[in-house]
Amino acid sequence: MNFELTKEQEMTRKMVRDFAEEKIAPRAIDIDKNSEFPVDLFKEMGELGLLGIPFPEEYGGSGGDTVTYALAVEEIGRVCGSTGLSYAAAVSLGASPLYYFGTEEQKQEFLVPLAKGEGLASFGLTEPNAGSDAGGTQTKAVLEGDHYVLNGEKSWITNAEYARSITITAQAGKREDGKNIISAFIVPKDTPGMTIRSDYDKMGVRGSNTSEIVLEDVKVPKENILGDPKKGFGQFLHTLDGGRISIAALAVGIAQASLDRALAYAKERKQFGEPISKFQAIQFKLADMAMEVELARNMVLKAAWLKDEGKPFTKESAYAKLFASETAFRSANQAIQIHGGYGYMREFEVERFLRDAKLLEIGEGTSEIQRMVIARQLGC
Ligand SMILES: Cc1cc2nc3c(=O)[nH]c(=O)nc-3n(C[C@H](O)[C@H](O)[C@H](O)COP(=O)(O)OP(=O)(O)OC[C@H]3O[C@@H](n4cnc5c(N)ncnc54)[C@H](O)[C@@H]3O)c2cc1C
């Protein structure tokens, strides 16, 4: 593994950092406070090519790699968890399955506009009664002539209200052993019978759109089934493996922001006649935070590098997602502690970091599920 970033990776990181600091950071408090989905920022991110980083130019992308994409997610997450989550979901969950499994026609019709930044997409896996056990999906797809008819419900789907298309998983028959066949269907946003509601009042990532989807006799052309109809289950496991790298990168961004804020505050805040950074109790917190951020970032880059090299990365992406999300939560918590009472106030932002970080221990597989994935990879 080469530990030096390429010139292109460094350039993209700088470009995204400049954009994040100039355009996103000044709005982060309001985005959270008003649960405002920043449509205009996504338009600009699309124009900068950020929504197409890991996709080839022939599909409207920027022809970058997973490492570059992870660096971009980190930089956005560093200033705004909400924008970071919607960005990561748009690329890793919305566009990536179309790239991995779509036919050439599907890529042209559905992926190209996403990679060019002309729209967002979502991935609808979770249901009211199928969360960690996503294989227990109850949404049904029945083939009728030249189209499938979908009925069911999906919960907490990121970006759905603003999506151009939503990839929806559904039971589409039974295997010989009696288990459900799960397939994935590309459902264009304006398809009749699909109702999208965004009424959730969330603890964190409040500016990221999270929607409930109700499907009532939704007709989807047969050609909109994604890839091999019998392999939907494997498809979403692979999609989640990749998505976990981006959630981990977002967590590194929040952890880094927590460290930056805590360090700056500790140097400035005086008690007992000296800056609190002179107290060993505070120094040890900062030292632990710095070490964990460094380790989490290395784990993200290793998982991304493995993916780019075409090597197995399931275990490493679970390591990265688990460790980085728990690091983000711990770092944000310590940042609040170092800020004392000020840390409890919205304007100092570290309380938002904690609320946003909590989601990262839940979405795209909870911490418990990551430990199960790792144990399975160990042969347990
Ligand atoms: C803001 C937000 C955005 C989201 N975006 C999306 C999205 O875009 N697309 C999508 O499809 N989903 C999305 N989700 C759903 C998310 O992926 C699920 O919430 C998550 O997978 C957990 O499922 P659950 O909430 O049903 O919890 P449950 O599965 O009910 O789990 C509850 C608890 O039990 C534990 N648990 C469950 N099974 C086991 C086990 N076998 N062993 C040990 N412990 C276990 C869990 O770890 C957890 O602590 C989103 C969720 C949120 C909150």
Side-chain angles (χ1 to χ4, degrees):
M1 184 176 176
N2 182 1
F3 280 90
E4 221 173 293
L5 296 178
T6 63
K7 215 185 240 171
E8 290 77 27
Q9 289 163 345
E10 283 288 9
M11 269 168 52
T12 306
R13 174 155 73 176
K14 183 174 180 324
M15 184 260 284
V16 181
R17 180 173 296 180
D18 291 348
F19 174 77
E21 284 176 357
E22 194 188 318
K23 298 281 177 78
I24 308 177
R27 289 175 48 190
I29 291 179
D30 283 344
I31 286 173
D32 171 68
K33 198 167 161 184
N34 306 327
S35 298
E36 170 208 340
F37 183 80
V39 181
D40 57 323
L41 290 177
F42 276 90
K43 196 164 171 287
E44 282 192 66
M45 284 157 63
E47 285 159 7
L48 288 173
L50 304 190
L51 289 155
I53 289 181
F55 308 116
E57 288 171 19
E58 60 182 301
Y59 295 121
S62 317
D65 53 18
T66 314
V67 168
T68 313
Y69 165 55
L71 295 170
V73 176
E74 179 188 331
E75 291 303 330
I76 294 173
R78 192 171 175 178
V79 301
C80 179
S82 293
T83 310
L85 179 69
S86 277
Y87 172 52
V91 176
S92 290
L93 300 183
S96 292
L98 304 172
Y99 175 56
Y100 300 145
F101 311 112
T103 60
E104 189 55 33
E105 292 75 32
Q106 289 170 346
K107 284 182 183 149
Q108 292 301 336
E109 184 175 351
F110 296 106
L111 173 63
V112 168
L114 304 176
K116 283 186 174 168
E118 294 167 3
L120 303 175
S122 300
F123 189 61
L125 179 66
T126 307
E127 300 187 357
N129 294 310
S132 300
D133 181 14
T137 184
Q138 291 171 355
T139 295
K140 285 198 174 60
V142 177
L143 185 61
E144 286 182 8
D146 58 358
H147 56 255
Y148 281 91
V149 180
L150 269 60
N151 278 287
E153 207 178 317
K154 297 285 171 182
S155 311
W156 306 312
I157 306 306
T158 302
N159 297 338
E161 192 181 333
Y162 297 89
R164 212 181 155 265
S165 62
I166 303 171
T167 301
I168 301 262
T169 53
Q171 287 181 27
K174 294 263 181 219
R175 296 195 322 208
E176 278 170 12
D177 62 4
K179 289 199 173 150
N180 292 324
I181 293 174
I182 299 194
S183 305
F185 299 86
I186 309 167
V187 186
K189 166 74 172 301
D190 51 6
T191 308
M194 181 159 74
T195 310
I196 299 174
R197 278 192 290 262
S198 312
D199 297 333
Y200 301 119
D201 190 7
K202 302 197 295 289
M203 166 187 179
V205 290
R206 292 175 58 81
S208 173
N209 175 255
T210 313
S211 299
E212 180 187 8
I213 303 176
V214 178
L215 303 143
E216 288 168 307
D217 292 330
V218 175
K219 278 189 181 179
V220 185
K222 229 165 59 176
E223 308 78 76
N224 281 25
I225 200 157
L226 183 64
D228 185 337
K230 296 211 169 110
K231 294 199 176 148
F233 191 75
Q235 285 174 0
F236 73 68
L237 291 183
H238 183 78
T239 301
L240 291 176
D241 280 349
R244 282 169 189 156
I245 298 175
S246 66
I247 295 296
L250 173 54
V252 172
I254 295 179
Q256 180 70 57
S258 302
L259 170 63
D260 294 345
R261 294 300 176 95
L263 180 60
Y265 185 81
K267 286 180 177 169
E268 196 182 287
R269 174 72 172 171
K270 286 198 174 121
Q271 288 293 284
F272 301 96
E274 53 184 340
I276 60 170
S277 63
K278 295 292 166 208
F279 303 140
Q280 198 179 49
I282 301 291
Q283 290 173 356
F284 280 12
K285 285 188 204 301
L286 291 164
D288 285 346
M289 288 161 79
M291 176 185 67
E292 290 197 5
V293 171
E294 173 77 7
L295 180 51
R297 182 177 295 112
N298 285 339
M299 292 169 100
V300 170
L301 293 176
K302 177 165 180 194
W305 176 81
L306 287 170
K307 183 168 187 285
D308 287 335
E309 292 292 307
K311 296 178 195 266
F313 64 97
T314 299
K315 187 173 66 186
E316 288 76 7
S317 68
Y319 283 162
K321 199 273 188 183
L322 174 59
F323 185 74
S325 61
E326 295 192 351
T327 291
F329 190 80
R330 273 193 298 275
S331 298
N333 194 27
Q334 293 292 35
I336 296 173
Q337 195 65 21
I338 291 170
H339 279 73
Y342 293 103
Y344 208 68
M345 302 297 131
R346 200 189 281 271
E347 67 176 293
F348 282 79
E349 300 192 81
V350 285
E351 62 81 38
R352 187 183 84 237
F353 298 165
L354 184 84
R355 290 185 287 106
D356 289 352
K358 184 65 207 170
L359 184 267
L360 309 180
E361 296 181 345
I362 297 171
E364 293 197 39
T366 61
S367 290
E368 291 76 12
I369 295 299
Q370 302 312 313
R371 289 183 168 90
M372 283 167 58
V373 170
I374 295 165
R376 211 176 296 134
Q377 291 288 319
L378 295 176
C380 297

